[in-house]
Amino acid sequence: MSNPAFTLEGDTLTLEGLLSVETVSQYQSIGNDALAKAAKGLVVDLGVAEIIGSAPIALLIAWQRRAISLDKSYELVNAPPHFLEIARVSGVLEILPFTQIS
């Protein structure tokens, strides 16, 4: 199993490792901790993560719920096109706060 890889700079959490069914549980606490530390909200950069399958969608929804419970903003940036398609097919493209930057 792959270890989670990430950087947290200010209020931006950049996911850098494998994000799949095997690793989402490892990332759960990373995002929760980042949300707790964030001043006003969290930006999650997905641009360099290796995203496989639909399991990461549940993780991103869980972080969104956590952000709402903490009254903080939450934004997903640089999602790869194949992952946006998975989100669309799963019916959550309009629910999750995707913003394309790159």
Side-chain angles (χ1 to χ4, degrees):
M1 183 180 304
S2 177
N3 289 327
F6 68 96
T7 57
L8 180 60
E9 293 181 11
D11 290 347
T12 299
L13 175 63
T14 302
L15 304 182
E16 300 167 346
L18 175 65
L19 192 55
S20 70
V21 69
E22 292 86 15
T23 62
V24 291
S25 63
Q26 295 173 297
Y27 278 102
Q28 180 75 43
S29 62
I30 292 166
N32 287 342
D33 291 346
L35 278 163
K37 292 176 186 174
K40 295 182 180 183
L42 186 65
V43 174
V44 178
D45 189 338
L46 303 167
V48 294
E50 181 183 357
I51 303 174
I52 298 175
S54 61
I57 288 175
L59 173 68
L60 299 179
I61 291 171
W63 286 348
Q64 182 178 31
R65 288 180 180 152
R66 180 77 175 140
I68 291 168
S69 74
L70 295 171
D71 197 29
K72 295 185 178 182
S73 64
Y74 177 69
E75 183 179 3
L76 304 169
V77 298
N78 299 323
H82 78 277
F83 188 63
L84 291 172
E85 181 61 17
I86 291 171
R88 186 190 67 75
V89 170
S90 299
V92 297
L93 185 61
E94 292 80 23
I95 296 169
L96 286 168
F98 287 107
T99 303
Q100 290 310 105
I101 291 181
S102 61

